[in-house]
């Protein structure tokens, strides 16, 4: 018996197996994606490999952890209060509902609940892309009270994704106006373009706008003409974004994500 235990965990969609002492301190980890055993203490190599033996398959390398990239160093230096990465889908709406809950006797449903459900649905679909090399940030605050519902960064570029709850209602789009059901049209595409433009300015990179229709089911989508430069995707179409590529290298994705997750990046846009 080595006295070491193996604890599985997930990081950016990739599985890691951490090798820990009895007091919980890590002495090594096995990254399945790179097939590498990273040792924090070289004198424990034999014990670590014994503990990992049931999990090691095929060829693998053993050595000290790689030198942190500039993006990783920036992340380590980021104060927790300025880190947007922990934000859940609809984080701002969750806070709003906690601070100002709906009265128990209110007859009409608070629109914030439908909006939150839409952001959660779209956010969960985008989170699934992390295994394909994408990074996602949710509820990114902008000066003036605006916010980006979801910011997607990956091999196919950067996307500002706005979530819209439709619940199988008819959706009519006549750029820049969007109408859901019997509601009056609103210039939603203009707002999404504006958010994408502000994100482009903050990150000094092209950010493309996307409107994601959440909960559409068999909803009827009527588009007078294809919106200029805005992708309109149903909920079921979101996984298709993972097939896009050829724009950013992995190092670029990590660098942009490190910048975007810093709340201070967005203060002057």
């Amino acid at each position: 018996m080595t006295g070491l235990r193996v604890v599985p965990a997930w990081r950016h969609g990739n599985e890691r197996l951490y090798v820990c002492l009895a007091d919980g301190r890590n002495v090594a980890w096995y990254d399945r994606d790179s097939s590498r055993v990273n040792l924090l203490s070289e004198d424990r190599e034999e014990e670590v490999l014994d503990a990992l033996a049931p999990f090691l398959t095929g060829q693998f390398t053993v050595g000290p952890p790689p030198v942190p990239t500039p993006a990783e160093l920036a992340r380590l230096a980021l104060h927790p209060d300025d880190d947007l990465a922990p934000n859940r889908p609809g984080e701002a709406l969750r806070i709003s509902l906690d601070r100002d809950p709906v009265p128990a006797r209110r007859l009409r449903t608070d629109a914030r609940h439908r909006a939150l459900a839409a952001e959660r649905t779209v956010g969960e679909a985008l989170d699934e892309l992390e295994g394909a090399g994408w990074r996602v940030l949710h509820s990114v605050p902008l000066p003036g009270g605006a916010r980006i519902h979801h910011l997607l960064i990956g091999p196919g570029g950067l996307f500002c994704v706005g979530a819209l709850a439709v619940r199988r209602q008819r959706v009519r789009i006549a750029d820049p106006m969007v109408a859901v059901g019997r509601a009056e049209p609103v210039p939603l595409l203009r707002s999404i373009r504006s958010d994408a433009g502000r994100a482009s300015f903050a990150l000094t990179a092209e950010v493309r706008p996307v409107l994601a229709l959440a909960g559409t089911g068999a909803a009827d989508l009527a588009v007078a003409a294809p919106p200029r430069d805005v992708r309109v995707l149903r909920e079921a179409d979101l996984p298709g974004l993972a097939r896009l590529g050829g724009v950013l290298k992995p190092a670029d994705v990590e660098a942009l994500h490190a910048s975007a997750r810093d709340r201070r990046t967005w203060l002057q846009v």
Side-chain angles (χ1 to χ4, degrees):
M1 298 293 290
T2 65
L4 302 178
R5 59 192 179 97
V6 178
V7 179
W10 289 84
R11 184 176 183 271
H12 298 326
N14 297 321
E15 186 180 13
R16 280 187 174 182
L17 298 175
Y18 287 92
V19 183
C20 307
L21 297 170
D23 61 5
R25 287 180 297 157
N26 295 328
V27 293
W29 72 86
Y30 173 47
D31 191 326
R32 288 188 185 273
D33 188 55
S34 62
S35 297
R36 179 179 175 83
V37 177
N38 297 278
L39 291 170
L40 298 178
S41 179
E42 293 185 4
D43 60 348
R44 290 185 176 271
E45 179 175 345
E46 185 175 346
E47 294 177 78
V48 166
L49 293 180
D50 284 345
L52 286 172
F55 309 97
L56 298 173
T57 57
Q59 298 293 321
F60 60 89
T61 57
V62 180
V67 177
T69 65
E72 290 172 328
L73 291 174
R75 175 181 58 81
L76 292 172
L78 185 60
H79 191 282
D81 290 344
D82 292 323
D83 190 359
L84 300 177
N87 280 5
R88 300 163 296 176
E91 186 75 28
L93 287 171
R94 295 172 193 257
I95 295 173
S96 174
L97 286 166
D98 286 342
R99 291 177 176 173
D100 184 21
V102 182
R105 296 184 179 180
R106 183 169 177 169
L107 296 179
R108 300 191 63 175
T109 303
D110 192 313
R112 291 177 297 175
H113 284 291
R114 290 186 61 197
L116 175 57
E119 289 192 42
R120 289 179 62 179
T121 297
V122 172
E124 288 167 3
L126 296 178
D127 284 339
E128 292 294 322
L129 303 184
E130 291 218 338
W134 294 76
R135 301 287 178 261
V136 189
L137 293 171
H138 306 290
S139 204
V140 177
L142 300 175
R147 61 190 174 86
I148 295 172
H149 292 176
H150 315 281
L151 182 67
L152 182 65
I153 307 170
L158 296 91
F159 297 91
C160 171
V161 183
L164 178 64
V166 297
R167 281 193 180 180
R168 297 188 178 183
Q169 296 165 299
R170 178 179 175 84
V171 180
R172 290 166 289 141
I173 298 177
D175 197 357
M177 311 301 289
V178 177
V180 178
R182 298 180 181 179
E184 289 295 317
V186 294
L188 184 57
L189 299 185
R190 183 181 301 156
S191 298
I192 294 176
R193 286 192 184 100
S194 174
D195 292 345
R198 296 172 76 177
S200 296
F201 179 81
L203 300 173
T204 61
E206 181 185 11
V207 180
R208 288 172 282 180
V210 174
L211 174 61
L213 307 179
T216 56
D220 182 13
L221 176 60
V223 183
R228 175 179 56 84
D229 68 23
V230 179
R231 291 173 181 258
V232 179
L233 301 177
R234 297 175 188 266
E235 177 186 321
D237 298 328
L238 293 172
L241 292 172
R243 294 192 293 268
L244 302 177
V247 177
L248 296 176
K249 298 178 181 179
D252 297 327
V253 171
E254 295 302 329
L256 285 165
H257 179 251
S259 177
R261 69 188 293 175
D262 188 342
R263 187 184 303 272
R264 296 166 298 181
T265 298
W266 306 95
L267 295 180
Q268 303 300 322
V269 299

